[in-house]
Amino acid sequence: MSRANYNFMPVSWRTLVKAAGVIVLALPAILRAQDSVAEKQESRIEIKRRGSQPPTEAPAEHFTGRVRIEPLFQENDPSHTSAAYVTFEPGAHSAWHTHPLGQILIVTAGMCWVQRWGDAIEELRPGDAVWIPPGQKHWHGASPTSATTHIAIQGAVDGKNIDWMEKVTEKQYNMKPSTKTNAQSDAFSSLLTLDDIRTVAPALARYTKETLADLWKRPGLSARDRSLVTIAALIARNQTTELPSQFNRALDNGVKLSEVSEVITHLAFYSGWANAMSAVAVAKGVFSARGIGADQLPPASGPLLPIDKAAETQRATSVEQNVGSVAPGVVQFTSDPLFHDLWLRPALAPRDRSLVTVSALIASGQVAQITYHLNRAMDNGLTKSEASEMLTQLLFYAGWPNVFSAIPVAKEVFEKRIK
């Protein structure tokens, strides 16, 4: 571009001096503005995406069992606070320790145990939180039969946020949880601890601690589905001693409140009203301890799922031919309320209704009914591998004889469905 395109104006020295004076006077404000921008940049929020910081295995020196630590955030001025997700497998727990500025634990999954030195073990459930004051000797971790995850938040003094002490002894870990200060004590008062079992059958205590823990970690069936299978077997066999812990475990494993309610209702038809009433008596205490009201449960009646007319016609015809001449009332009640109402209630998916039905049939030794309902379960989405693991789970909750009686029937169903 040529010089002719610019409009030059002569500038006097006086004007230049004035301009320089203005700049000098403005310089502090400019520097303050720059500092303010720098401070704002330094004080921006910092986001740590989950998974961006790889988890680590907790050191065996300070923990018993397998424990995984997933950092959430590290210490930053001025708070000097850090936090992490800590996941304990069943039976895993920390050693005794203290924190110079205290600690907050927020349980997100499973049953968490925490104990202050000199006090009884306390049980915490998802949504529960505990504040541990500075310098208070304590430990925390999972119960013997349930994994747990909690968020641990603690502050540091001179870069140190924990003082480790001796490991928790087996006797200390197996102490019975508190039933006086725990708000949920009514729901767990019937539970046996490993120490209780050991006083009668030491080997059974070992199997309970080791073998059952391995069972619940097997692949092929989710923890949620294992809970459905287990509570179905216990209800069908009217075994109420284990029901409080298994109802709670089911809720911790992702079974919805509405689904627990529907399982009990469903099994009234497949294991008898009396067994369902026994389950109601147990569930009432569990629901009350968790603050669950009737408004959180599925309604007594309402819209139903659509019916498969072809499958229902085939079922109804078969029942009429086999049962009609013997007991017309059985035909009537099998159609309505069983298949025209109960099986169509939306609070429990058809696949899950089938899962608990087959589990209850196997648990109660009703081999003749398994063929129809196992086929129905697989039509409703249950896979062969899931059905196989259902049988494996039932070994421990229904007994080997009942499972081995069911295996030939399951084998025949599997083989015919392949053809």
Side-chain angles (χ1 to χ4, degrees):
M1 195 174 287
S2 67
R3 182 181 177 121
N5 291 330
Y6 291 93
N7 186 14
F8 287 99
M9 294 291 292
V11 179
S12 67
W13 282 107
R14 181 174 293 180
T15 301
L16 288 173
V17 170
K18 286 183 178 180
V22 171
I23 293 173
V24 170
L25 291 173
L27 187 58
I30 294 171
L31 293 175
R32 285 196 300 271
Q34 289 176 337
D35 289 342
S36 177
V37 170
E39 288 175 2
K40 287 181 180 179
Q41 289 175 339
E42 291 177 358
S43 63
R44 287 177 180 172
I45 64 172
E46 183 180 356
I47 297 174
K48 297 287 188 182
R49 301 294 181 187
R50 186 163 190 185
S52 63
Q53 303 177 90
T56 59
E57 294 290 326
E61 179 184 1
H62 302 309
F63 291 86
T64 298
R66 189 175 180 185
V67 181
R68 188 176 71 256
I69 300 173
E70 183 180 350
L72 287 172
F73 56 84
Q74 304 298 331
E75 298 161 9
N76 287 307
D77 291 337
S79 71
H80 299 287
T81 301
S82 62
Y85 277 112
V86 187
T87 300
F88 298 80
E89 291 193 354
H93 52 277
S94 73
W96 292 102
H97 60 281
T98 64
H99 298 278
L101 294 180
Q103 184 182 52
I104 296 172
L105 303 177
I106 304 171
V107 183
T108 61
M111 181 196 295
C112 177
W113 279 9
V114 61
Q115 183 182 24
R116 188 183 79 154
W117 183 262
D119 287 349
I121 295 171
E122 298 287 348
E123 293 178 339
L124 303 175
R125 301 253 168 200
D128 291 345
V130 60
W131 159 244
I132 300 159
Q136 190 171 92
K137 185 176 180 179
H138 69 288
W139 68 266
H140 44 90
S143 74
T145 58
S146 175
T148 189
T149 299
H150 62 55
I151 298 173
I153 306 171
Q154 52 279 316
V157 175
D158 297 328
K160 189 174 185 179
N161 62 19
I162 191 169
D163 289 299
W164 288 108
M165 301 176 179
E166 74 274 17
K167 282 197 171 184
V168 177
T169 66
E170 187 174 358
K171 182 178 180 180
Q172 290 170 333
Y173 178 71
N174 289 317
M175 288 175 61
K176 196 164 186 174
S178 167
T179 57
K180 293 182 178 179
T181 59
N182 193 335
Q184 297 171 333
S185 61
D186 290 342
F188 308 114
S189 58
S190 65
L191 293 184
L192 297 172
T193 66
L194 280 176
D195 198 41
D196 293 330
I197 302 171
R198 193 175 289 108
T199 60
V200 176
L204 179 59
R206 177 171 65 85
Y207 291 133
T208 301
K209 181 178 180 180
E210 298 174 3
T211 309
L212 277 186
D214 291 339
L215 173 72
W216 282 84
K217 292 184 289 186
R218 284 177 58 86
L221 197 65
S222 68
R224 172 189 177 276
D225 288 346
R226 289 187 186 277
S227 281
L228 286 175
V229 170
T230 302
I231 62 175
L234 295 177
I235 292 172
R237 295 165 65 84
N238 200 18
Q239 295 174 327
T240 56
T241 299
E242 281 289 300
L243 264 181
S245 62
Q246 294 300 341
F247 275 146
N248 277 296
R249 187 174 197 166
L251 293 169
D252 293 342
N253 283 341
V255 179
K256 298 176 183 177
L257 299 171
S258 57
E259 292 171 333
V260 172
S261 176
E262 284 295 308
V263 167
I264 296 172
T265 302
H266 189 87
L267 291 180
F269 289 78
Y270 285 93
S271 65
W273 241 249
N275 284 354
M277 292 304 155
S278 295
V280 166
V282 175
K284 179 183 177 183
V286 174
F287 285 13
S288 176
R290 285 177 171 256
I292 299 167
D295 59 324
Q296 297 173 263
L297 303 177
S301 59
L304 300 175
L305 298 173
I307 195 167
D308 185 333
K309 293 183 179 179
E312 176 55 20
T313 298
Q314 184 179 8
R315 182 209 61 78
T317 301
S318 176
V319 171
E320 177 63 40
Q321 291 174 349
N322 295 320
V323 182
S325 62
V326 179
V330 172
V331 177
Q332 176 190 341
F333 286 118
T334 301
S335 291
D336 189 11
L338 185 60
F339 282 98
H340 291 176
D341 192 297
L342 178 73
W343 274 89
L344 302 179
R345 288 176 57 81
L348 190 64
R351 180 257 191 197
D352 296 336
R353 287 191 185 276
S354 286
L355 180 63
V356 299
T357 302
V358 176
S359 298
L361 293 174
I362 295 172
S364 54
Q366 302 297 325
V367 178
Q369 296 295 311
I370 295 174
T371 299
Y372 170 78
H373 281 287
L374 182 54
N375 271 301
R376 186 183 180 98
M378 298 182 79
D379 289 341
N380 285 335
L382 189 72
T383 67
K384 179 183 175 182
S385 62
E386 289 172 334
S388 172
E389 276 301 308
M390 171 194 65
L391 290 164
T392 305
Q393 183 79 5
L394 287 171
L395 281 173
F396 294 85
Y397 292 96
W400 261 249
N402 283 328
V403 172
F404 269 83
S405 294
I407 282 179
V409 181
K411 180 181 179 183
E412 184 179 5
V413 170
F414 294 161
E415 290 174 348
K416 287 184 176 181
R417 292 183 71 90
I418 293 175
K419 296 177 182 178

